[in-house]
Structure formats: structure tokens, C-alpha cells
């Protein structure tokens, strides 16, 4: 008697779960599968031009997605991807990736001594360059991505921050190269 009652309740739960629309969280989880095509199934991007997004800070991820959506940050792939979502949905997408772990480095290098010119970056990117509320994580991003994004700020192609363009212009090309090498090996 008890058994059949339990089975009945369980059966009813299954039926009502199937009839319920997928929850917002499930919906986001299925819709972000597209991101894995480039940013990687396990958080390791498919190529060095694509940044790691797993484990970055939620508010910053949202700001970048917002900026691609609005055009404040220009990239043809990311603009079309961001426009598949509303801004409230992008907030959920950002929270989803922020909750993932930063992927383990594939080949931990020896970063050597920190370039002197990287000292001032710590005020925002944090002393270990692992990011925080003021600025994103840089430690362990690829050399290619770091150098490209530093140069994009320096030559005015990336303008979605007031401070970074000035900081990057103030560095020589050799400084930017040395910093990108150092940060990618952390
Ligand atoms: C076709 C490949 C591709 C797909 C699909 C893709 N991305 Fe990207 N994403 C990139 C590339 C390349 C960049 C770097 C672009 C740039 O330099 O502005 C990038 C940049 C980003 C950034 C900025 C990160 C940083 O370090 O500045 C975020 C956040 C991001 N993508 C999130 C997503 C999310 C979320 C999805 C899925 C909804 C997604 N991307 C789908 C290729 C892709
Ligand atoms: C005043 C705070 C501040 C300082 C100092 C600073 N940054 Fe940043 N940096 C930021 C912020 C905020 C962003 C995110 C900008 C955005 O919204 O895209 C950023 C973005 C970046 C990015 C792009 C990251 C990505 O994934 O797209 C790189 C690379 C970077 N900074 C390198 C540096 C380096 C190298 C230094 C030191 C020479 C430095 N920054 C100093 C605040 C700072």
C-alpha cells in the first residue's frame, strides 16, 4: 500500500516535471553549448586567439558580453554570439562561466622575474595577476591573446575602458611583449 502510494507520487512528480517548461538555468546551460565550440568543452580554448573565460569574474564577464552586444567592443564573432541573448540572459551566461574552475595550465612554464613595467598592473589585476573586482585575470592567458589585446588598447582598436589605452600606449612594444610572455607563463 505504502509502496504503491510512493510509486504514484513519484510517477506524478515525473509527469509534472516533464510538463514543466525547462527552468531558466537549464535553458542557459543548453544555450551556452555554442560557446564551447571556441572557448573549449573543458575551459581550454581551441586556439591561442581565443581567451579563457572559465573562472573569470562574473561582473567583468558580463561587462564584456554587454560591450560586444552594444558594439562598445568590436569583434564580429562575439558580436553575433552576444546578440543571441538579451542583456538579462547575458548576466546568467556570465554567472554560469564565472562559477566554472579556471582550467589547469597545459604546460606550466617558468615565468622568470616579473618585468618592472608589470608592477603597476598589480593595483588592479591583483598582486598574483589572478584578477578580482577591479580587473580581470591575466595569469595564464595565452601569449597571443595577451599581446593582441594589449596592442589593441595601445593602437586604439579596443576602447571599452578609459584607463587601459593610456597604460598600454605608455609601454614600449618590447615592454608589452615581455609582459605578455611573463603573464602567459604564470
Ligand atoms: C566562433 C568562436 C567563438 C564563439 C562561438 C564564442 N566566442 Fe567568445 N570569443 C572568441 C574570440 C576569438 C574572442 C576574443 C575576441 C576579441 O579579441 O575581442 C572571444 C572573447 C570573449 C570574451 C571576452 C574575454 C576576454 O578575455 O576579454 C567573452 C566574455 C566571451 N568571448 C564569451 C563567450 C560566450 C559566453 C560565448 C557563447 C555564448 C562565446 N564567447 C562564443 C570566440 C568565440
Ligand atoms: C586602473 C586599473 C588597471 C591597471 C593599473 C591596469 N589594468 Fe589592465 N585592465 C583593467 C580593466 C578594468 C580591464 C578590463 C577592461 C574591459 O572592460 O574590457 C583591463 C583589461 C586588461 C587586459 C585585457 C584582458 C582581457 O581578457 O581582455 C589586459 C591584457 C590588461 N588589462 C593588461 C594590463 C597590464 C599589462 C597592465 C600593466 C602594465 C594593466 N593592465 C594595468 C584595469 C587596469
Amino acid at each position: 500500500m505504502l509502496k504503491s502510494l510512493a510509486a504514484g507520487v513519484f510517477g506524478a512528480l515525473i509527469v509534472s516535471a516533464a510538463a514543466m517548461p525547462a527552468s531558466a538555468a537549464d535553458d542557459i546551460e543548453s544555450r551556452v553549448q555554442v560557446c564551447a565550440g571556441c572557448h573549449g568543452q573543458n575551459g581550454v580554448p581551441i586556439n591561442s586567439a581565443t581567451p579563457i573565460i572559465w573562472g573569470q569574474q562574473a561582473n567583468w564577464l558580463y561587462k564584456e558580453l554587454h560591450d560586444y552586444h552594444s558594439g562598445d567592443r568590436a569583434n564580429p564573432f562575439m558580436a553575433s554570439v552576444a546578440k543571441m541573448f538579451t542583456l538579462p540572459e547575458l548576466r546568467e551566461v556570465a554567472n554560469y562561466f564565472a562559477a566554472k574552475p579556471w582550467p589547469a595550465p597545459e604546460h606550466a612554464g617558468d615565468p622568470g622575474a616579473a618585468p618592472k613595467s608589470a608592477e603597476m598592473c598589480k593595483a588592479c589585476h591583483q598582486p598574483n595577476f589572478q584578477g578580482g573586482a577591479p580587473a580581470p585575470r591575466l595569469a595564464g592567458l595565452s601569449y597571443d591573446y595577451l599581446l593582441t589585446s594589449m596592442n589593441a588598447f595601445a593602437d586604439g582598436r579596443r576602447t571599452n575602458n578609459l584607463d587601459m589605452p593610456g597604460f598600454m600606449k605608455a609601454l614600449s612594444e618590447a615592454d608589452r611583449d615581455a609582459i605578455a610572455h611573463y603573464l602567459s607563463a604564470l
Side-chain angles (χ1 to χ4, degrees), residues 51 56 60 63-64 67 73 117-118 120-121 123-125 134-138 141 145-146 149-150 153 158 160-161 163-164 167-168 171 179 183:
Q56 277 283 19
W60 178 74
K63 183 195 177 273
E64 298 315 291
D67 289 359
R73 183 173 172 185
S117 52
M120 62 83 73
C121 324
C124 300
H125 293 279
R137 175 171 177 144
L138 303 177
L141 287 172
Y145 179 74
L146 285 163
S149 47
M150 290 169 75
F153 281 125
R158 180 166 165 188
N160 67 331
N161 178 269
D163 299 320
M164 282 301 302
F167 295 149
M168 293 301 110
L171 296 173
I179 292 176
L183 294 173

Side-chain angles (χ1 to χ4, degrees), residues 1 13 20 23 34 73 81 90 96-97 106-107 109 123 137:
M1 170 65 199
L13 276 177
M20 259 176 1
S23 75
V34 59
R73 183 173 172 185
V81 169
L90 287 177
Y96 174 86
F97 285 107
E106 283 179 316
H107 30 250
R137 175 171 177 144

Side-chain angles (χ1 to χ4, degrees), residues 39-45 52-56 100-109 130 137 139-142 183-186:
H39 292 281
Q41 204 62 252
N42 51 6
V44 178
I52 296 171
I53 57 172
W54 281 35
Q56 277 283 19
K100 298 272 187 195
W102 184 267
E106 283 179 316
H107 30 250
Q130 291 188 0
R137 175 171 177 144
L141 287 172
S142 75
L183 294 173
S184 66
L186 290 179

Side-chain angles (χ1 to χ4, degrees), residues 24-41 53-54 65 81 84-85 89-98 100:
D26 291 347
D27 186 39
I28 288 295
E29 182 138 15
S30 61
R31 290 175 67 196
V32 296
Q33 287 311 311
V34 59
C35 319
C38 298
H39 292 281
Q41 204 62 252
I53 57 172
W54 281 35
L65 292 168
V81 169
M84 291 161 44
F85 298 85
E89 287 167 348
L90 287 177
R91 171 65 75 179
E92 290 182 52
V93 171
N95 292 343
Y96 174 86
F97 285 107
K100 298 272 187 195

